[in-house]
């Protein structure tokens, strides 16, 4: 058993959170993660409010355990999604890709655990002041939209800057990572890419296969020219995107090119023209297992490592 304050705050058994990935983290995955004793988080993406409400209800039908909803701040429906999370009584709301400060009071009043994802110390401090309960510090090893710091320097700096518990994200896929995160002062880990490669994840099989087949250098980032870098597995789409940025294509042209690409890969399985967002851990993911097996495996490995550490450090 590895229990931290995160388990008490979220009502979960293991200090593991599943990243709320748009078009990927659907009710089936979220319920399976929560049933496994971790925290499942629905990916709100830019989906319409009715769809998100239906996903919340489907998750509730599948599990009585706590789960969360991720609201990306670029969604045109942020206000409605906040209302829906309150009406439906979800346990936690995670946010990404922006500053959720203005929404925190409403969520807190409703008793929802606020766990914004940040990529910098400055935003972590600001959100702690605004009432965030947990800070998720996400390094640029992650898939999807990223900041510019790596997990190793980001997490301890955020831990030192805030008093609220910190969850480490970006670069985690196994028990070694969980132990490392705890050593950095985090109270748990968030994993996205690793949970994509589970039997319960409803993403297209091509997407999962692309991750399983990926090597250590399989991902790249695009979108720097827009100020919104995104990490995805290299393919014809990412190379064309890079080429457009190199030749200085207009912002509008690039946005038009990129729109809808994640959904294309996740739902249609077009892993050539779609955006297969995934983290650098893709190279260490070699199988597709159930969420329960995955969570148990990670916890077991972390326990073994912690148990073996005294012997490791006493050799001399
Ligand atoms: O949000 C994420 N990752 C995401 S969102 C996403 S959906 C998407 N779909 C199509 C194209 C692009 C994205 C895919 N992946 N992670 C959390 C995260 N938040 N990472 C970095 C940040 C972040 C960055 C800047 C948070 C706050 C921030 O602050 C800016 C500000 O307003 O202060």
């Amino acid at each position: 058993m590895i229990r931290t304050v995160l388990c008490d705050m979220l009502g979960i058994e293991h200090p593991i959170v599943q990243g709320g990935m748009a078009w990927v983290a659907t009710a089936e995955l979220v319920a399976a993660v929560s049933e496994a004793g971790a925290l499942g988080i629905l990916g709100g993406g830019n989906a319409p409010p009715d769809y998100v409400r239906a996903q919340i209800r489907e998750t509730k039908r599948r599990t009585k355990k706590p789960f969360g909803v991720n609201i990306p701040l670029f969604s045109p429906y942020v206000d409605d999604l906040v209302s829906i999370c309150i009406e439906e009584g979800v346990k936690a709301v995670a946010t990404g890709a922006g500053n959720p400060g203005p929404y925190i009071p409403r969520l807190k009043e409703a008793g929802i655990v606020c766990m914004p994802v940040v990529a910098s110390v400055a935003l972590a401090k600001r959100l702690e002041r605004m009432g965030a309960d947990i800070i998720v510090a996400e390094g640029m090893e992650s898939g999807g939209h990223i900041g510019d710091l790596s997990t190793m320097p980001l997490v301890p700096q955020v831990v030192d800057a805030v008093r609220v518990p910190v969850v480490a994200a970006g670069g985690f896929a196994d028990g070694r990572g969980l132990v490392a995160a705890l050593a950095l002062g985090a109270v748990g880990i968030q994993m996205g890419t690793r949970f994509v490669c589970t039997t319960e994840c409803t993403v297209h099989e091509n997407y999962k296969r692309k991750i399983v087949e990926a090597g250590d250098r399989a991902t790249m980032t695009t979108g720097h020219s827009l100020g919104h870098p995104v990490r995805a597995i290299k393919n014809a789409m990412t190379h064309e995107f890079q080429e457009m940025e190199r030749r200085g294509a207009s912002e509008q042209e690039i946005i038009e090119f990129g729109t809808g690409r994640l959904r294309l890969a996740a739902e249609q399985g077009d892993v050539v023209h779609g955006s297969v967002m995934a983290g650098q851990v893709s190279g260490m993911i070699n199988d597709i297992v159930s969420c329960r097996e995955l969570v148990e495996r990670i916890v077991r490995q972390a326990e073994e490592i912690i148990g073996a550490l005294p012997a490791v450090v006493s050799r001399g």
Side-chain angles (χ1 to χ4, degrees):
M1 232 13 201
I2 296 181
R3 282 193 69 92
T4 70
V5 65
L6 186 69
C7 300
D8 304 320
M9 292 178 83
L10 295 171
I12 56 179
E13 290 143 58
H14 312 295
I16 298 173
V17 171
Q18 163 252 308
M21 302 162 283
W23 303 115
V24 173
T26 60
E28 289 86 345
L29 175 64
V30 172
V33 171
S34 289
E35 278 295 300
L39 186 79
I41 300 186
L42 281 170
N46 53 7
D50 285 350
Y51 172 83
V52 177
R53 193 192 292 276
Q55 284 284 304
I56 293 173
R57 293 193 173 164
E58 179 60 21
T59 309
K60 283 185 191 166
R61 202 181 64 70
R62 290 169 177 264
T63 184
K64 298 289 166 264
K65 300 214 174 162
F67 67 93
V69 176
N70 183 287
I71 305 179
L73 292 151
F74 56 71
S75 163
Y77 312 109
V78 176
D79 224 59
D80 289 346
L81 295 183
V82 167
S83 301
I84 287 171
C85 288
I86 293 169
E87 287 159 22
E88 298 291 329
V90 304
K91 179 74 182 177
V93 164
T95 60
N99 178 358
Y103 304 100
I104 293 179
R106 274 176 72 204
L107 290 164
K108 295 262 294 187
E109 227 166 89
I112 295 176
V113 178
C114 292
M115 42 191 301
V117 180
V118 306
S120 71
V121 168
L123 189 56
K125 286 168 80 167
R126 201 178 324 151
L127 292 174
E128 179 185 46
R129 278 200 301 277
M130 296 176 104
D133 300 293
I134 295 164
I135 297 290
V136 182
E138 187 187 276
M140 50 77 85
E141 295 90 329
S142 296
H145 174 62
I146 52 172
D148 49 17
L149 283 171
S150 300
T151 300
M152 186 75 97
L154 175 67
V155 171
Q157 292 187 74
V158 172
V159 166
D160 286 347
V162 299
R163 276 180 291 270
V164 294
V166 174
V167 169
F172 298 100
D174 63 15
R176 294 173 294 185
L178 174 53
V179 177
L182 297 174
L184 295 177
V187 297
I189 52 171
Q190 174 178 286
M191 304 190 302
T193 308
R194 180 59 266 202
F195 277 117
V196 175
C197 293
T198 57
T199 47
E200 296 93 340
C201 181
T202 53
V203 80
H204 197 283
E205 290 301 316
N206 293 353
Y207 200 115
K208 297 184 190 181
R209 193 173 329 120
K210 203 79 182 149
I211 295 173
V212 168
E213 287 171 0
D216 58 341
R217 302 184 64 236
T219 71
M220 65 184 278
T221 58
T222 55
H224 291 273
S225 65
L226 303 174
H228 294 290
V230 167
R231 181 179 303 284
I233 293 184
K234 292 172 189 168
N235 61 6
M237 194 283 301
T238 59
H239 288 118
E240 197 175 335
F241 201 122
Q242 188 177 47
E243 203 36 53
M244 285 173 81
E245 292 192 285
R246 274 204 191 121
R247 70 171 153 82
S250 73
E251 198 170 305
Q252 193 193 339
E253 200 184 338
I254 294 174
I255 291 172
E256 267 170 28
F257 175 79
T259 302
R261 299 283 178 166
L262 172 60
R263 195 173 181 184
L264 185 63
E267 290 191 347
Q268 312 300 317
D270 185 344
V271 294
V272 176
H273 306 101
S275 178
V276 187
M277 293 185 193
Q280 291 184 334
V281 292
S282 296
M284 56 196 272
I285 296 171
N286 304 310
D287 56 7
I288 294 167
V289 291
S290 73
C291 290
R292 185 172 297 282
E293 194 181 333
L294 178 61
V295 169
E296 281 173 4
R297 183 204 282 177
I298 291 171
V299 171
R300 199 179 327 119
Q301 190 186 19
E303 285 168 344
E304 281 168 13
I305 292 169
I306 292 169
L309 273 177
V312 172
V313 300
S314 67
R315 292 206 181 151

